[in-house]
Amino acid sequence: MNRKLGIVDVGGGYRGVYAAGVLDYCMEQKITFDLGIGVSAGSANLISFAAGQHKRNYRFYTEYGLRKEYAGIKNFLFKKSFVDLDYVYSTLSNSDGEYPLDYAAAIQNPMEFLAVATEAETGRARYFSKEDISQDDYSIMKASSAIPFACHPYLVSGIPYYDGALSNPVPIEKAFQMGCDKVVLLLTLPEDTVRSSGKDRKLASRIRKKYPLAAEKLAQRAKQYNDGVALAKQYARQGKLLIIAPDDTCGVSTLSRDSEALKKLYQKGYGDACQILPFLSS
């Protein structure tokens, strides 16, 4: 059967290690997709998956992610950004970095790739593609991962962007609009989690003066996420979508720094990935 298969990774900061486990399993089992859509850390997960770099993401979460250069209060105090996106996606990932992205392999992979970001000035979603990256220029992943207040909005071609989760935290409709017949959705919270907007509203107040439209999107992010998961469950009942989600997060939060907890959550993702082959073959 000639079907278009999609995978959507919603990110979730360090909780993205769960999806990294799923994707490593897929690489080992030679499971491929025609379209990958990544939000925030999900965009980084999927570009490494496209490059075929087994366990690259695991190392970023469990080793590099613990370094002070990667994330921490010192970064926030001196660079006004808790996560140093340039360190993650340039210093480490460029061709002369410690663990370069295999750019050629990622580009040659026939899988379509989209990274979701949010225009800070308009609040609109922007779907970047492989055409928007080049060797040693991975700005679109930085834009997709720029968590409001924890990070400055990231400039791409002079336009400031925030994390894609503000505008489209669960972009499954985008996958179906692009012709997918079946979609695997990677969540990094238990699927019955109902997110609340309290923390988002506090963060929104910090950026409202300069970026009021992005702030409004941030204030509504929890509702958008909850609605997106509810829609995913409808598609799942129709047999069009498979939700892969952890039964618990092992104590890992968005900006967690616990190595052992991260490793446990990765193993959960790796184990849960066994559901994918039966779904795709049905």
Side-chain angles (χ1 to χ4, degrees), residues 209-241:
K209 184 175 181 180
K210 189 167 186 180
Y211 299 112
L213 296 178
E216 184 57 31
K217 287 287 189 179
L218 177 55
Q220 296 296 320
R221 176 172 62 170
K223 181 180 185 304
Q224 281 201 79
Y225 176 88
N226 295 336
D227 289 348
V229 174
L231 180 61
K233 290 178 179 179
Q234 289 182 31
Y235 280 122
R237 286 191 289 270
Q238 297 168 19
K240 296 181 178 180
L241 183 142

